[in-house]
Amino acid sequence: MRCTFWGVRGSIPVPGAQTAGYGGNTSCIEISAPGEPTLVLDCGTGARRLGGLLLARPEREVHLLFTHFHMDHLFGLGFFAPVFVPGFDISVTAPAFHPDGPRDRIGRFLNGVFHPIRIPDLAARIEFDSIEPRTPFQRGPWHVRSFTLNHPGGACAYRIDRNGRSVVYVTDTAPLSRPGEGLAGGGEPNGRERQLIEFIGGADLVIFDTMFTKAEYLQKMTWGHSYPEYAVDICTLAEVRKLALFHHAPEASDDVLDALGARWADHTAPSIFVAREEQTVDLEG
Ligand SMILES: [Zn+2]
Ligand SMILES: [Zn+2]
């Protein structure tokens, strides 16, 4: 089981010299195993590169999981090559937060106005599905569960398990407690945090929204994003092996992210790294 980062930014793509090292594309992660259908976590602008690579592989089955439909997680779908190719079999799964299902919601973007192509024009065979929080489901060889997060309009985390290996994708979310209580208040985890710790428990890799510093979070508590110390507290209690700091702020230059990585370089349980575009983590090792 391997995890490759194709987009690590939040909010908006930020190409340019200041961000060339960690990459400027927005959220998109590939989960793969040799000979197995690819699982894609979110379709931010990073999905464009991944889509081109999938065309060159023999598998024609692809599974897309959306945490939510903010544009930084959706924009790449209109440039994800497999959806335009006959013979591809694609599933699209999103949380059931809204009475309109994923086909209707994505159709407001792929509608001929905001993008030249409409959903009925796509050549691949595409199935859309809504899932309820915490109900396990299967996509190809991947066992998946979800967990409701703390984000404006809703978002959900996904845990993917296969053959004893696991990845958990936790974005976009503010802490599940507030200053003065729970882990965000420097105390013991509250009820929802205990549920999240159980959900994450023992994962080989957790990818966590750390868009803000703690000081920024205190200024923007309703924006729905976390900070590194919070992710570290959750993942330490959950006995996670590796933690990827993710959903970097558009303003976070390579220098800022290098300094963030250096600050956590000596942490061992979990080990901590700053997610970088085109980086692959092999979870079998
Ligand atoms: Zn986002
Ligand atoms: Zn969002």
Side-chain angles (χ1 to χ4, degrees):
M1 187 170 179
R2 287 152 51 105
C3 169
T4 302
F5 295 90
W6 294 105
V8 296
R9 292 285 158 181
S11 302
I12 189 169
V14 283
Q18 305 289 309
T19 55
Y22 288 86
N25 282 301
T26 65
S27 305
C28 180
I29 293 170
E30 173 191 9
I31 306 292
S32 63
E36 299 286 14
T38 297
L39 188 81
V40 182
L41 298 167
D42 282 331
C43 275
T45 62
R48 190 191 64 82
R49 284 280 322 280
L50 171 59
L53 295 172
L54 290 178
L55 292 190
R57 297 186 195 161
E59 295 87 25
R60 284 295 178 262
E61 182 181 328
V62 182
H63 301 284
L64 310 182
L65 303 184
F66 284 91
T67 56
H68 63 314
F69 290 130
H70 286 162
M71 283 304 284
D72 52 328
H73 301 253
L74 175 63
F75 192 61
L77 182 63
F79 305 89
F80 182 67
V83 300
F84 302 106
V85 177
F88 266 92
D89 219 329
I90 299 173
S91 76
V92 174
T93 305
F97 289 141
H98 197 273
D100 297 340
R103 192 182 202 285
D104 289 341
R105 305 199 87 192
I106 292 171
R108 292 176 199 156
F109 161 50
L110 299 177
N111 68 351
V113 176
F114 300 114
H115 189 281
I117 304 295
R118 302 171 312 127
I119 287 179
D121 303 327
L122 300 176
R125 199 173 80 85
I126 305 179
E127 277 190 12
F128 296 86
D129 202 9
S130 296
I131 43 99
E132 298 293 336
R134 308 205 79 168
T135 304
F137 60 98
Q138 188 85 17
R139 291 290 178 270
W142 314 104
H143 308 278
V144 188
R145 283 184 292 152
S146 68
F147 184 93
T148 302
L149 297 171
N150 179 12
H151 194 63
C156 79
Y158 289 106
R159 178 177 180 128
I160 298 105
D161 286 88
R162 177 184 174 273
N163 286 356
R165 299 296 180 193
S166 48
V167 175
V168 191
Y169 181 50
V170 189
T171 202
D172 296 13
T173 192
L176 304 181
S177 56
R178 312 266 294 181
E181 56 126 349
L183 291 174
E188 296 295 310
N190 69 11
R192 284 189 72 198
E193 288 170 331
R194 282 197 296 275
Q195 290 175 351
L196 179 61
I197 290 163
E198 183 193 344
F199 178 76
I200 288 175
D204 294 293
L205 171 65
V206 172
I207 301 155
F208 208 108
D209 172 356
T210 53
M211 186 169 177
F212 291 152
T213 63
K214 185 165 187 181
E216 287 166 342
Y217 163 68
L218 293 171
Q219 296 293 316
K220 301 172 178 174
M221 288 197 292
T222 60
W223 290 32
H225 298 290
S226 292
Y227 52 92
E229 292 85 350
Y230 187 77
V232 172
D233 283 349
I234 291 275
C235 289
T236 301
L237 290 168
E239 300 184 5
V240 165
R241 273 178 63 208
K242 291 179 204 273
L243 165 61
L245 307 180
F246 180 77
H247 203 273
H248 310 318
E251 299 78 17
S253 66
D254 289 339
D255 289 346
V256 167
L257 294 177
D258 280 343
L260 177 64
R263 185 180 161 199
W264 295 103
D266 294 333
H267 206 278
T268 53
S271 62
I272 299 171
F273 64 97
V274 178
R276 181 187 292 264
E277 204 169 301
E278 298 189 30
Q279 175 181 17
T280 294
V281 180
D282 187 345
L283 298 172
E284 303 300 326

